[in-house]
Amino acid sequence: MNHRVSPKAGTRRTHAERSAATRQHLIATAIDVIQHRSLEEMSIHELAKSAGMTSGAVQHHFESKAVLMMNVLSELIESTVRSGELWPSAALPARERAAKFVQAVWRLVYAQPRFIVAWNIYLGCRNQTEVLGHIAELRQSVQARMHEGFFSAFPELAAEPDRDGLLGLVLSSLRGLGLLQLFAPAPPTVSDTVQQAQLACLADWIATRCEAAAPSTAAAVSTKARTRRR
C-alpha cells in the first residue's frame, strides 16, 4: 500500500519562497484594485492598504508603480496563454475545431475581467516609456505563441499567403468583442445572444477558410510523398 507523506507541520518556507508569495499576493491585489476601482486609484499607498502591508514593504518588492504595472501586465498576459484548453486537436473536423477554438479563446481570454484590466493598463500607461517598451516585448512574445498554436490547430491555413492577416483578423475581432464589455449594454441577454451569433460567424469563417484550403494542402502533401518515393 502506498502512503502519501505529508510535509512536516513545522516546515518553514525559504526567504525566496516567501518573497515570491508576497509578490504574487501584491500582483493579485493590484489586479483586484484596478478591476473593481480604477487604474488611477492603484497607487503604492493604496496597494499597501488593500494588501495589509506598509508602503515601505510594497516598495521593497516593487520600487515604483511603473515596475508594479509591468509585473501586473506580465501576469495578465501569461494567464491568457497558459491554458492547454485553448487549442483543439488538429484531428477534429474543421468546423468542430473552429467552434471549439473560438469558444475557448473567448471564455479563457477575452471574456475575462482581467482582459479589461490589461487594457486599462495599456491606456493608462501610454506616456510611460518604460512600461510601453515592456508591453511591446510582451505583445511580441504572446503573438509568437498564438501564431504557433493557431497554425498547429489549423494546419490547412499554415501555407496560406495571407495567413498573418488571417490570424490578425481573428484576434482583432475577438479583441473588439472583448472591449465592448466596457460599455455594459442592456439587457444582458440580448447582448449575449448577439455576441454568441458574432462568435459563431467568426468560427464559420475560420472553418470555411480551412475547407477551401484543404484540397491544396492535401495536394501538397501528396506531391511531397511522391517525391520521397522516387
Side-chain angles (χ1 to χ4, degrees), residues 91-107:
L92 294 172
R95 293 201 169 269
E96 185 177 351
R97 255 183 296 152
K100 281 180 176 291
F101 164 71
V102 167
Q103 288 298 326
V105 77
W106 174 252
R107 176 173 51 85

Side-chain angles (χ1 to χ4, degrees), residues 70-150:
M70 288 193 294
N71 281 271
V72 169
L73 197 60
S74 294
E75 172 61 25
L76 288 169
I77 292 181
E78 277 299 310
S79 70
T80 68
V81 291
R82 278 187 203 134
S83 177
E85 299 176 54
L86 204 58
W87 308 115
S89 168
L92 294 172
R95 293 201 169 269
E96 185 177 351
R97 255 183 296 152
K100 281 180 176 291
F101 164 71
V102 167
Q103 288 298 326
V105 77
W106 174 252
R107 176 173 51 85
L108 295 170
V109 181
Y110 296 97
Q112 289 290 326
R114 287 184 166 202
F115 174 74
I116 300 300
V117 175
W119 272 92
N120 276 326
I121 297 174
Y122 290 152
L123 298 175
C125 298
R126 60 187 179 276
N127 295 323
Q128 299 182 40
T129 305
E130 185 181 11
V131 179
L132 288 179
H134 184 67
I135 290 172
E137 290 178 4
L138 284 171
R139 284 178 62 83
Q140 284 184 347
S141 173
V142 170
Q143 186 70 17
R145 291 165 70 178
M146 292 296 287
H147 190 280
E148 179 183 0
F150 185 82

